[in-house]
Amino acid sequence: MPINYYIFLSIALFCIGVVGVLTRRNAIIVFMCIELMLNAVNLLLVAFSKMHYMSSVLVNPASTAGADAQIFVFFIMVVAAAEVSVGLAIIVMMYRNIHSVDINFLNRLKH
Amino acid sequence: MDNQNMTKLIYLVPLFPLIGFLINGLGRNFLSKSLSAFVGSGSVLASFIMSVLIFMEAKTPGFSVVTVKLFDFIKTAKLDIPFSFQVDQLSTLFLLIITGVGFLIHLYSSAYMKEEQPHHYARYFAYLNLFVFSMLMLVLGSNYVIMFIGWEGVGLCSYLLIGYWFKNGDYNDAAKKAFVMNRIGDLGFLLAIFWMLGQYGSTDFISIFSRAGDTAPAVLTGITLLLFVGATGKSAQIPLYTWLPDAMAGPTPVSALIHAATMVTAGIYMIARSNILYTLAPVTPMIVAVIGLATALLAATIAIRQNDIKKVLAYSTVSQLGLMFLGLGVGAYTGAVFHVMTHAFFKALLFLGAGSVIHAMHHEQDIRNMGGLKKHLPVTHLTFLAGCIAIAGIPPFSGFFSKEEILGGVFAHNIVLYIIAVFSSLLTAFYMFRLYTLTFLGKFRGTSEQEHHLHESPLAMTLPLIVLAVLAVLAGFLGIPELFSTDAHWLSNFLAPVFAESTVHQQAHVVSHSTEWMLMGGMVAATLVICFYAINKFRNYEKTGIEATGFAKVLENKWWVDEIYDAIINKPLKGFSLFLNNVVERSGVDGIVNGVGKFVHYSSRQLRWLQSGQVGSYILIMVVATVVFFIIQLFGK
Amino acid sequence: MGITVVLFWFLTALAILSALMVVVSKNPVHSVLWLIAVFFAISGHYIILNAQFLAIVNLIVYAGAIMVLFLFVIMLMNLNSDTEPQKNRWLKIAGGLAGGCLFLVIIAGLKETEMKLQVAQVKTGDIGLIENLGMVLFKDYVLPFEISSVLFLSAMVGAVVIGKKD
């Protein structure tokens, strides 16, 4: 599969995530769009890993050229999980205080 | 070459006054009065002795011009201006005049300024020494830049000395006026120097004068005119002469030294030094002559109705300077320099005599309140009379010889100029003898208290008077014209090498001897008649309170030149500067400066809106910025 | 056109469509469900690329744990489409525009690259297998692996501390 297709797909998903972050006011939806962006990146990393593997396995059948990228994706997922737990805790606490998840209410940071 | 031993030590001549200036200036709070006077006068005396020794060498036949380089002043790839002195006949002559007359005046000042406090006394001598130093630099410089340094220095000292009694506001104004008018002239001088640098690549006398013949006439005219502008400022010619009468606010010895004998002759020296340029320039000599003559006439007319003893002498100085410029303009260079010399003697004599009178009259300067001082001030009276006779041009006193030489040159050049010059010389005789008569003859018109205090001045003041009187009488014999005996004009022979180039280019105007005898005789006779007429008219002068009317009023008010200058120049300039202050400064410059502050204030208020606290807008800006960075990175070259 | 290619395009379409629905849905619960669909599509892509381990981990961690967590929170706050706050229309347009620009710029930037002709291997390839990945993980990346446990610890502590009712 030409690598271009994967690149376009990943970029499309990423930009949709960006639009979602900019457009939505619900904090939880924003968070979810961030997850969407992370996943787009994951997909691209895996695609690249296969691309490198492919070009190197023709030379040396026993190489593990693209493994680093997949390990990286693994760690991204690790971090995403941690981040989601903490982020949601914050949102819950915020809801407890102001009874809304509207991000415009977060301008209290200014005061 | 053993006739150059002393010449190599030429740097000592300005060095002594400079040391005197430093000692008196820095130690003015510690030195006693007699010590200050000793240091001040002694340094000038030492310079005088050196000048005499150098003059002895310069006098020997076969003496060629010597340039003594002290150090490199400005040295770049294109420009080489060394700090060097040029010793030749002209500069040694001026050295003698400056240091000799200078020493006598220092001696005189030690008694005249006795009433001052010690630190002011020392300050006076410091300034005087600085002045002598600057004047020596002026005449010794071997290029126009060193001359200009001395030029500026004498202008500065003139300002310092005119405003010596700085507690008086009028005196300060006079000092400022002198300095500003000098400055205007200096601008012309500077422009001439720049032009010379552009034209010749150097300001060295020797190198410029050797190339003067190849220069375009228009360039020569421009340069000489600009130099002449400088000379009008320094030597008080039209239109920059009004500072000189006001400069009488300074102490009388200062007026004698600076405004009679030396500083004002700087312009003459400069033109005499540049004589080849002036001879070759087509239009300038005529302009110089005409302006000199006009100044001579104007000043003489004003002098006949002045009542302050020093003002009369001041206008007389302006008038005599005009005569000297006239001589330069018609090409009688030797005559002009001769007249500088004799004028230094008798004008300094007259000023010092006036100082003696003022001292005796306890600072009274109005001649209407004087009279009959002959009995009380005998030495002063005789020397002053000698000076008057000399300036009137009565033989065999020195003024006669030098004036006749100039007038002879003028006659050979242009009859009209000659007639007007004769007229102004006759006016000179008239007002000088008016001054003499009103001051010394007749009845005493002052208060009885002043009469009690009348006494002859101390030796320190009368000795210079006597010496100068002797010089004023005898100096004429240095320049006996062809008429009386052939080849007896010592001065002309002495200065011949300096003016040799010019003489080649000038047409020899030959006036027959009989014509000369006639003119001379007629001139002397007319002068004697005027003198006796003046003495008679003013012998029985009674002080009346009547105001002058008509033409006399115009003369008494100096043709209202100062007022005209005020209206034409001062007021518009003041108005302009007020405009600049109120409009340009307030609205313009302040507006810009304050505007910057206001702009920062305003923009910060606008920028504050960015920090809205809205997270959504923050993220939006972040994304936009990222897009911009991408664009720059990917598509920017 | 092999089955792989068909599957690829199907999954691509599914992913993009679901992503759009995530952003557009009014009801947050619907958004969550559409996001889960996206995750499934991406896992499908992983399987096509023979990254088996990552496909399973993606499903378990993301779709299984993280999305469930999101659902819990939404249910906790009892959000539905009525209480959804609406953004200013202009801001929405601006946001959409910004995202679109980003998309275009990056695509355009890619035109300069030489990678167009490279190919990602599908269906086969050993590196996606769990043994090979495990070897690499525990040989070369053992330190980050251990530190990630510390990360989890801090995240847990943080979540508990923040969520405490005081």
Side-chain angles (χ1 to χ4, degrees), chain B residues 114-130:
Chain B
K114 255 291 191 289
E115 296 163 1
E116 298 288 322
Q117 304 210 303
H119 58 275
H120 287 307
Y121 193 73
R123 182 168 64 101
Y124 174 82
F125 275 100
Y127 287 161
L128 266 190
N129 272 2
L130 183 65

PDB file of all heavy atoms in Angstrom, chain B residues 114-130:
ATOM      1  N   LYS B 114      45.661  96.614  39.525  1.00  0.00           N
ATOM      2  CA  LYS B 114      46.075  96.395  40.918  1.00  0.00           C
ATOM      3  C   LYS B 114      44.889  96.254  41.869  1.00  0.00           C
ATOM      4  O   LYS B 114      45.005  95.640  42.920  1.00  0.00           O
ATOM      5  CB  LYS B 114      46.904  97.590  41.395  1.00  0.00           C
ATOM      6  CG  LYS B 114      48.386  97.333  41.478  1.00  0.00           C
ATOM      7  CD  LYS B 114      48.770  96.374  42.587  1.00  0.00           C
ATOM      8  CE  LYS B 114      50.265  96.346  42.807  1.00  0.00           C
ATOM      9  NZ  LYS B 114      51.016  95.720  41.775  1.00  0.00           N
ATOM     10  N   GLU B 115      43.744  96.860  41.510  1.00  0.00           N
ATOM     11  CA  GLU B 115      42.643  96.858  42.475  1.00  0.00           C
ATOM     12  C   GLU B 115      41.903  95.542  42.515  1.00  0.00           C
ATOM     13  O   GLU B 115      41.030  95.342  43.347  1.00  0.00           O
ATOM     14  CB  GLU B 115      41.647  97.964  42.127  1.00  0.00           C
ATOM     15  CG  GLU B 115      42.258  99.339  42.233  1.00  0.00           C
ATOM     16  CD  GLU B 115      41.392 100.362  41.496  1.00  0.00           C
ATOM     17  OE1 GLU B 115      40.350  99.963  40.948  1.00  0.00           O
ATOM     18  OE2 GLU B 115      41.774 101.525  41.473  1.00  0.00           O
ATOM     19  N   GLU B 116      42.216  94.627  41.604  1.00  0.00           N
ATOM     20  CA  GLU B 116      41.478  93.371  41.566  1.00  0.00           C
ATOM     21  C   GLU B 116      41.908  92.450  42.692  1.00  0.00           C
ATOM     22  O   GLU B 116      42.975  92.598  43.255  1.00  0.00           O
ATOM     23  CB  GLU B 116      41.724  92.665  40.226  1.00  0.00           C
ATOM     24  CG  GLU B 116      41.238  93.445  39.036  1.00  0.00           C
ATOM     25  CD  GLU B 116      39.740  93.451  38.954  1.00  0.00           C
ATOM     26  OE1 GLU B 116      39.140  92.413  39.271  1.00  0.00           O
ATOM     27  OE2 GLU B 116      39.176  94.489  38.595  1.00  0.00           O
ATOM     28  N   GLN B 117      41.060  91.453  42.965  1.00  0.00           N
ATOM     29  CA  GLN B 117      41.427  90.445  43.962  1.00  0.00           C
ATOM     30  C   GLN B 117      42.462  89.496  43.366  1.00  0.00           C
ATOM     31  O   GLN B 117      42.518  89.341  42.154  1.00  0.00           O
ATOM     32  CB  GLN B 117      40.188  89.637  44.316  1.00  0.00           C
ATOM     33  CG  GLN B 117      39.054  90.513  44.796  1.00  0.00           C
ATOM     34  CD  GLN B 117      38.226  89.734  45.757  1.00  0.00           C
ATOM     35  OE1 GLN B 117      37.742  88.674  45.409  1.00  0.00           O
ATOM     36  NE2 GLN B 117      38.126  90.231  46.952  1.00  0.00           N
ATOM     37  N   PRO B 118      43.253  88.837  44.223  1.00  0.00           N
ATOM     38  CA  PRO B 118      44.357  88.015  43.695  1.00  0.00           C
ATOM     39  C   PRO B 118      43.918  86.950  42.700  1.00  0.00           C
ATOM     40  O   PRO B 118      44.561  86.765  41.674  1.00  0.00           O
ATOM     41  CB  PRO B 118      44.960  87.373  44.948  1.00  0.00           C
ATOM     42  CG  PRO B 118      44.614  88.292  46.049  1.00  0.00           C
ATOM     43  CD  PRO B 118      43.321  88.940  45.688  1.00  0.00           C
ATOM     44  N   HIS B 119      42.821  86.253  42.976  1.00  0.00           N
ATOM     45  CA  HIS B 119      42.525  85.180  42.014  1.00  0.00           C
ATOM     46  C   HIS B 119      41.969  85.738  40.711  1.00  0.00           C
ATOM     47  O   HIS B 119      42.176  85.169  39.644  1.00  0.00           O
ATOM     48  CB  HIS B 119      41.594  84.115  42.619  1.00  0.00           C
ATOM     49  CG  HIS B 119      40.288  84.631  43.112  1.00  0.00           C
ATOM     50  ND1 HIS B 119      40.138  85.156  44.366  1.00  0.00           N
ATOM     51  CD2 HIS B 119      39.073  84.715  42.525  1.00  0.00           C
ATOM     52  CE1 HIS B 119      38.887  85.522  44.531  1.00  0.00           C
ATOM     53  NE2 HIS B 119      38.229  85.265  43.439  1.00  0.00           N
ATOM     54  N   HIS B 120      41.301  86.886  40.770  1.00  0.00           N
ATOM     55  CA  HIS B 120      40.877  87.496  39.504  1.00  0.00           C
ATOM     56  C   HIS B 120      42.051  88.074  38.755  1.00  0.00           C
ATOM     57  O   HIS B 120      42.105  88.047  37.532  1.00  0.00           O
ATOM     58  CB  HIS B 120      39.858  88.617  39.767  1.00  0.00           C
ATOM     59  CG  HIS B 120      38.526  88.101  40.171  1.00  0.00           C
ATOM     60  ND1 HIS B 120      37.851  87.158  39.426  1.00  0.00           N
ATOM     61  CD2 HIS B 120      37.736  88.369  41.230  1.00  0.00           C
ATOM     62  CE1 HIS B 120      36.695  86.881  40.022  1.00  0.00           C
ATOM     63  NE2 HIS B 120      36.600  87.601  41.113  1.00  0.00           N
ATOM     64  N   TYR B 121      42.998  88.612  39.524  1.00  0.00           N
ATOM     65  CA  TYR B 121      44.215  89.168  38.928  1.00  0.00           C
ATOM     66  C   TYR B 121      44.969  88.078  38.167  1.00  0.00           C
ATOM     67  O   TYR B 121      45.383  88.251  37.024  1.00  0.00           O
ATOM     68  CB  TYR B 121      45.053  89.725  40.076  1.00  0.00           C
ATOM     69  CG  TYR B 121      46.197  90.609  39.717  1.00  0.00           C
ATOM     70  CD1 TYR B 121      45.999  91.906  39.266  1.00  0.00           C
ATOM     71  CD2 TYR B 121      47.504  90.160  39.876  1.00  0.00           C
ATOM     72  CE1 TYR B 121      47.057  92.723  38.977  1.00  0.00           C
ATOM     73  CE2 TYR B 121      48.566  90.980  39.580  1.00  0.00           C
ATOM     74  CZ  TYR B 121      48.341  92.268  39.140  1.00  0.00           C
ATOM     75  OH  TYR B 121      49.401  93.083  38.847  1.00  0.00           O
ATOM     76  N   ALA B 122      45.109  86.932  38.835  1.00  0.00           N
ATOM     77  CA  ALA B 122      45.816  85.822  38.188  1.00  0.00           C
ATOM     78  C   ALA B 122      45.039  85.334  36.970  1.00  0.00           C
ATOM     79  O   ALA B 122      45.624  84.973  35.945  1.00  0.00           O
ATOM     80  CB  ALA B 122      46.014  84.677  39.187  1.00  0.00           C
ATOM     81  N   ARG B 123      43.730  85.351  37.075  1.00  0.00           N
ATOM     82  CA  ARG B 123      42.902  84.924  35.942  1.00  0.00           C
ATOM     83  C   ARG B 123      43.136  85.834  34.748  1.00  0.00           C
ATOM     84  O   ARG B 123      43.247  85.391  33.603  1.00  0.00           O
ATOM     85  CB  ARG B 123      41.433  84.969  36.377  1.00  0.00           C
ATOM     86  CG  ARG B 123      40.444  84.519  35.326  1.00  0.00           C
ATOM     87  CD  ARG B 123      39.073  84.313  35.944  1.00  0.00           C
ATOM     88  NE  ARG B 123      38.530  85.561  36.467  1.00  0.00           N
ATOM     89  CZ  ARG B 123      37.620  86.305  35.843  1.00  0.00           C
ATOM     90  NH1 ARG B 123      37.184  85.948  34.664  1.00  0.00           N
ATOM     91  NH2 ARG B 123      37.185  87.406  36.394  1.00  0.00           N
ATOM     92  N   TYR B 124      43.248  87.138  35.044  1.00  0.00           N
ATOM     93  CA  TYR B 124      43.492  88.095  33.969  1.00  0.00           C
ATOM     94  C   TYR B 124      44.777  87.766  33.238  1.00  0.00           C
ATOM     95  O   TYR B 124      44.824  87.703  32.007  1.00  0.00           O
ATOM     96  CB  TYR B 124      43.544  89.493  34.593  1.00  0.00           C
ATOM     97  CG  TYR B 124      43.936  90.578  33.639  1.00  0.00           C
ATOM     98  CD1 TYR B 124      42.992  91.140  32.790  1.00  0.00           C
ATOM     99  CD2 TYR B 124      45.232  91.048  33.579  1.00  0.00           C
ATOM    100  CE1 TYR B 124      43.339  92.148  31.915  1.00  0.00           C
ATOM    101  CE2 TYR B 124      45.584  92.045  32.700  1.00  0.00           C
ATOM    102  CZ  TYR B 124      44.637  92.600  31.884  1.00  0.00           C
ATOM    103  OH  TYR B 124      44.990  93.579  31.007  1.00  0.00           O
ATOM    104  N   PHE B 125      45.849  87.542  34.015  1.00  0.00           N
ATOM    105  CA  PHE B 125      47.119  87.264  33.365  1.00  0.00           C
ATOM    106  C   PHE B 125      47.112  85.930  32.650  1.00  0.00           C
ATOM    107  O   PHE B 125      47.750  85.766  31.618  1.00  0.00           O
ATOM    108  CB  PHE B 125      48.264  87.341  34.384  1.00  0.00           C
ATOM    109  CG  PHE B 125      48.764  88.733  34.569  1.00  0.00           C
ATOM    110  CD1 PHE B 125      48.364  89.488  35.644  1.00  0.00           C
ATOM    111  CD2 PHE B 125      49.615  89.300  33.641  1.00  0.00           C
ATOM    112  CE1 PHE B 125      48.799  90.780  35.804  1.00  0.00           C
ATOM    113  CE2 PHE B 125      50.048  90.600  33.787  1.00  0.00           C
ATOM    114  CZ  PHE B 125      49.645  91.352  34.870  1.00  0.00           C
ATOM    115  N   ALA B 126      46.359  84.979  33.217  1.00  0.00           N
ATOM    116  CA  ALA B 126      46.252  83.686  32.531  1.00  0.00           C
ATOM    117  C   ALA B 126      45.615  83.871  31.159  1.00  0.00           C
ATOM    118  O   ALA B 126      46.098  83.357  30.140  1.00  0.00           O
ATOM    119  CB  ALA B 126      45.438  82.717  33.376  1.00  0.00           C
ATOM    120  N   TYR B 127      44.511  84.636  31.126  1.00  0.00           N
ATOM    121  CA  TYR B 127      43.842  84.853  29.845  1.00  0.00           C
ATOM    122  C   TYR B 127      44.754  85.591  28.878  1.00  0.00           C
ATOM    123  O   TYR B 127      44.837  85.277  27.689  1.00  0.00           O
ATOM    124  CB  TYR B 127      42.568  85.683  30.039  1.00  0.00           C
ATOM    125  CG  TYR B 127      41.425  84.939  30.685  1.00  0.00           C
ATOM    126  CD1 TYR B 127      40.377  85.636  31.284  1.00  0.00           C
ATOM    127  CD2 TYR B 127      41.365  83.565  30.709  1.00  0.00           C
ATOM    128  CE1 TYR B 127      39.332  84.992  31.876  1.00  0.00           C
ATOM    129  CE2 TYR B 127      40.325  82.909  31.307  1.00  0.00           C
ATOM    130  CZ  TYR B 127      39.307  83.622  31.889  1.00  0.00           C
ATOM    131  OH  TYR B 127      38.257  82.987  32.473  1.00  0.00           O
ATOM    132  N   LEU B 128      45.467  86.599  29.390  1.00  0.00           N
ATOM    133  CA  LEU B 128      46.349  87.352  28.504  1.00  0.00           C
ATOM    134  C   LEU B 128      47.420  86.449  27.912  1.00  0.00           C
ATOM    135  O   LEU B 128      47.731  86.533  26.727  1.00  0.00           O
ATOM    136  CB  LEU B 128      47.020  88.493  29.272  1.00  0.00           C
ATOM    137  CG  LEU B 128      46.348  89.867  29.211  1.00  0.00           C
ATOM    138  CD1 LEU B 128      47.272  90.899  29.820  1.00  0.00           C
ATOM    139  CD2 LEU B 128      46.031  90.269  27.798  1.00  0.00           C
ATOM    140  N   ASN B 129      47.994  85.585  28.771  1.00  0.00           N
ATOM    141  CA  ASN B 129      49.028  84.691  28.262  1.00  0.00           C
ATOM    142  C   ASN B 129      48.463  83.731  27.236  1.00  0.00           C
ATOM    143  O   ASN B 129      49.087  83.431  26.219  1.00  0.00           O
ATOM    144  CB  ASN B 129      49.665  83.899  29.415  1.00  0.00           C
ATOM    145  CG  ASN B 129      50.814  84.671  30.016  1.00  0.00           C
ATOM    146  OD1 ASN B 129      51.096  85.781  29.615  1.00  0.00           O
ATOM    147  ND2 ASN B 129      51.481  84.064  30.967  1.00  0.00           N
ATOM    148  N   LEU B 130      47.263  83.244  27.505  1.00  0.00           N
ATOM    149  CA  LEU B 130      46.635  82.341  26.542  1.00  0.00           C
ATOM    150  C   LEU B 130      46.421  83.047  25.224  1.00  0.00           C
ATOM    151  O   LEU B 130      46.605  82.483  24.142  1.00  0.00           O
ATOM    152  CB  LEU B 130      45.303  81.834  27.103  1.00  0.00           C
ATOM    153  CG  LEU B 130      44.580  80.818  26.212  1.00  0.00           C
ATOM    154  CD1 LEU B 130      45.389  79.548  26.108  1.00  0.00           C
ATOM    155  CD2 LEU B 130      43.207  80.510  26.769  1.00  0.00           C
TER     156      LEU B 130
END
